Amino acid sequence: MSKKVLQAPAKGRAVIYARYSSHQQTEQSIEGQLRDCRQYAADNGLRVVGTYIDRAKTGTNDNRAEFQRMLRESKAGVFDYVIVWKIDRFGRNREDIAFNRALLRRNGATVVSAKENIPEGPEGIILEGLLESLAEYYSAELNGKVVRGIQEETGAQIDIQEDGPIHIAAVEGPAGEAAKA
């Protein structure tokens, strides 16, 4: 069940932000997020007035066209809530999450999760921080596993700059051929 009991009457306007990270994911990921977010809105008396969807965009930074459009449009005060399927759809970088959540709050909007029952109050602060940290951890851990796998498979040296280019140095493989990375 997606119902979260909001402390104050929620009668308000909401937008949904949905995202998936990779080209290997499909529209089904977005459709599932939208379905659960719409159900959350219905359960909490919120009227969905718009959606923002980023496809094949990382959450490790906020350089996402629809996400940025949502932030800009929040200044007009046309919505009170941003519903995300889970906090990791909003972002996977704690600094960006905190900054953008504060920006939305200054613009009169609150971020809520359809699938994570985050209470208001001190307990909610801890839980929210933990979920944000886990989202960032998951991304960093997965990145490390991917890099290690590529290095083990190809012998290539990989240098990843934070939010920058990935440099892969080709090395000769066991048969004297250049490894493909």
Side-chain angles (χ1 to χ4, degrees), residues 60-133:
T60 59
N61 63 60
D62 62 5
N63 187 23
R64 296 170 259 147
E66 286 293 287
F67 188 82
Q68 289 298 320
R69 185 169 73 89
M70 177 186 69
L71 294 176
R72 283 190 309 275
E73 291 180 359
S74 74
K75 293 175 187 171
V78 295
F79 55 87
D80 308 302
Y81 294 91
V82 174
I83 305 171
V84 294
W85 184 67
K86 289 188 174 183
I87 293 299
D88 66 5
R89 301 300 83 201
F90 190 75
R92 288 191 180 274
N93 176 304
R94 289 170 298 152
E95 290 176 15
D96 285 346
I97 293 170
F99 178 83
N100 292 316
R101 186 187 295 270
L103 174 67
L104 287 165
R105 193 172 26 254
R106 282 192 305 273
N107 293 336
T110 302
V111 178
V112 294
S113 169
K115 298 306 267 183
E116 298 157 326
N117 191 8
I118 303 169
E120 293 184 23
E123 298 84 4
I125 293 169
I126 290 173
L127 180 56
E128 205 167 64
L130 178 61
L131 292 170
E132 292 167 0
S133 294

Side-chain angles (χ1 to χ4, degrees), residues 20-181:
Y20 65 79
S21 306
S22 112
H23 290 288
Q24 291 141 353
Q25 291 174 295
T26 67
E27 272 312 292
Q28 289 176 322
S29 174
I30 294 295
E31 291 306 316
Q33 290 177 53
L34 293 175
R35 181 181 55 251
D36 289 346
C37 289
R38 285 185 183 116
Q39 185 63 55
Y40 175 90
D43 290 347
N44 286 281
L46 300 174
R47 182 171 48 96
V48 176
V49 297
T51 58
Y52 301 89
I53 300 169
D54 282 309
R55 292 169 175 85
K57 297 293 181 185
T58 182
T60 59
N61 63 60
D62 62 5
N63 187 23
R64 296 170 259 147
E66 286 293 287
F67 188 82
Q68 289 298 320
R69 185 169 73 89
M70 177 186 69
L71 294 176
R72 283 190 309 275
E73 291 180 359
S74 74
K75 293 175 187 171
V78 295
F79 55 87
D80 308 302
Y81 294 91
V82 174
I83 305 171
V84 294
W85 184 67
K86 289 188 174 183
I87 293 299
D88 66 5
R89 301 300 83 201
F90 190 75
R92 288 191 180 274
N93 176 304
R94 289 170 298 152
E95 290 176 15
D96 285 346
I97 293 170
F99 178 83
N100 292 316
R101 186 187 295 270
L103 174 67
L104 287 165
R105 193 172 26 254
R106 282 192 305 273
N107 293 336
T110 302
V111 178
V112 294
S113 169
K115 298 306 267 183
E116 298 157 326
N117 191 8
I118 303 169
E120 293 184 23
E123 298 84 4
I125 293 169
I126 290 173
L127 180 56
E128 205 167 64
L130 178 61
L131 292 170
E132 292 167 0
S133 294
L134 287 171
E136 185 172 344
Y137 168 80
Y138 172 80
S139 186
E141 180 189 38
L142 182 60
N143 182 53
K145 288 177 179 178
V146 168
V147 167
R148 187 180 73 240
I150 291 171
Q151 287 175 330
E152 288 178 8
E153 185 176 319
T154 66
Q157 293 300 315
I158 300 174
D159 178 30
I160 299 177
Q161 305 298 317
E162 186 172 328
D163 292 333
I166 298 173
H167 300 284
I168 302 176
V171 296
E172 291 194 11
E177 301 171 357
K180 297 177 183 171

